[in-house]
Amino acid sequence: MRGMPTVLLAAVVSWLVQSATASVLPEGWDAGTEFLLRAEGEGHWSVDRLVFDSTEIDASIRFTVNSEYANLLAVPAFSSDPDLHPALRRARALLRWPGTPWIGAGVYLGEGQPFIQGLYQPLIEHGWISPDSINGFSFSSGGFLGFNGEFSMARSGTDTLSMTRIRSPWLGFAGLSYTRTALHVPEDSIEGMVLNSLMIWGDLRYVEPWIVISGSEGEPGNWAVEGEFREFSPFSTDWGKVELVPGFRVSGAEFQSPGPAFTRDQRTLYLSAILKSDRYFAGADLSAFYDFRSDSLSGAALRGGMISSSGISCNTEFMVTLEGELMIAGRLGTTSDASSVSLGIRHEGDSTRVTGIAAHSPRGDVTGELTVSGNTHGRVNPLCSLDLSTMLGPASGHLALIWDDGRVSLSAELRGYFK
């Protein structure tokens, strides 16, 4: 436990700083301190003995100071990868101009990770750029008739990342948001990326239209549009109301983004019928989708699930494409006050896998879960795992024993959150 002295020192420093700041801060200011600890070890069973693979200790302290005009954050951390060393993981200093609706500026370290949402899948996903490599500054303004906007510029390694966000107020029948993300790389490297996204949504009483327009600048074929109508419920059944969601997804032959929202040269129309039950804890979704360019994007899908008052649950999923791809999945389970059991089956491609799960909680802060699965034909590829978890106040522990394709591994983890 080579990291424990540092971890204990961090906890003491956290308590001292919180006590000191609470007594010296002026009126209208408040401070907070949070301490997060994670320690884990992994090993595997080799012939007749357990062999250690890795150990890791990570501890961080989050200091915050807030007022009407400022937001300050610092997160020093101590991590053993491979040797225990301190580092400033995150930092932020945001200031707001006094007496204005909302004008501010700030600098940040380890924050500002780009993200752009779509209707379902994001246009830019979290993790596209590691937050550890980002540092920069931002300007913000808003409060005028409800509009707000922000511009930020950051450095990520040798690349420059800039983001612009503008969001309108709710106008009573519609609203919009615009985001522009640009990644510029050195001239002697690969080409960077510029992605604009405009989302417009409305409320026409009986239906809500949503549309997302995306694309680059001055690049033919690098564009995409998706839209749909929501909250359109033309009829009801004994089980509940049925909502119809027609939509489309279209993209150019050269469109690219770090997120999974579109594929290139897409021309897809879809229609979903969603059952929303008011009387039962159940729901279902039937969808049909057709792409004029690709059979792999054309097909139908059915999803449904329910939970009875006696604790019996059932979930089903079915999807087939015109290209011949088939996926069928189902799960049946039952739950009591302290235990649960379920059996599931999933067929996809040339694999059919059956999974059984049993869980038991002898008390509220202790849980054990056993999972056994394998293929029904061909190579069995068995998987068996036993997970034990416990919680004591702000600390939790986890122990896992896994047998996967003849290899037995063991992992132990300890987490603590102190505020």
Side-chain angles (χ1 to χ4, degrees), residues 113-114 124-134 156 159 161 183:
Q113 187 176 196
I124 293 182
E125 180 62 284
H126 287 294
W128 173 46
I129 296 178
S130 173
D132 296 340
S133 66
I134 298 177
S156 178
D159 303 337
L161 175 69
L183 179 67

Side-chain angles (χ1 to χ4, degrees), residues 184-269:
H184 301 289
V185 300
E187 295 181 358
D188 58 346
S189 184
I190 60 174
E191 185 179 359
M193 186 206 75
V194 176
L195 182 62
N196 296 279
S197 174
L198 175 65
M199 175 180 287
I200 305 172
W201 63 93
D203 186 351
L204 306 180
R205 188 174 181 179
Y206 298 107
V207 66
E208 295 182 0
W210 290 73
I211 187 169
V212 176
I213 305 171
S214 310
S216 188
E217 301 167 356
E219 298 182 21
N222 195 347
W223 57 271
V225 183
E226 64 176 332
E228 66 182 28
F229 291 98
R230 300 176 179 176
E231 298 298 329
F232 175 56
S233 302
F235 59 91
S236 299
T237 68
D238 293 339
W239 280 77
K241 66 178 182 179
V242 176
E243 178 182 340
L244 297 181
V245 185
F248 66 91
R249 189 174 291 115
V250 184
S251 64
E254 302 298 327
F255 182 77
Q256 59 178 342
S257 73
F262 294 93
T263 60
R264 291 185 176 184
D265 204 20
Q266 190 173 3
R267 302 288 188 276
T268 304
L269 300 177

Side-chain angles (χ1 to χ4, degrees), residues 259-312:
F262 294 93
T263 60
R264 291 185 176 184
D265 204 20
Q266 190 173 3
R267 302 288 188 276
T268 304
L269 300 177
Y270 60 87
L271 175 65
S272 298
I274 304 172
L275 174 63
K276 296 182 177 181
S277 178
D278 297 326
R279 299 176 55 189
Y280 306 97
F281 204 70
D285 175 8
L286 174 62
S287 302
F289 39 95
Y290 180 75
D291 190 273
F292 294 90
R293 304 289 179 87
S294 173
D295 287 345
S296 65
L297 299 177
S298 305
L302 173 65
R303 301 175 183 87
M306 63 161 287
I307 300 178
S308 70
S309 58
S310 59
I312 297 176

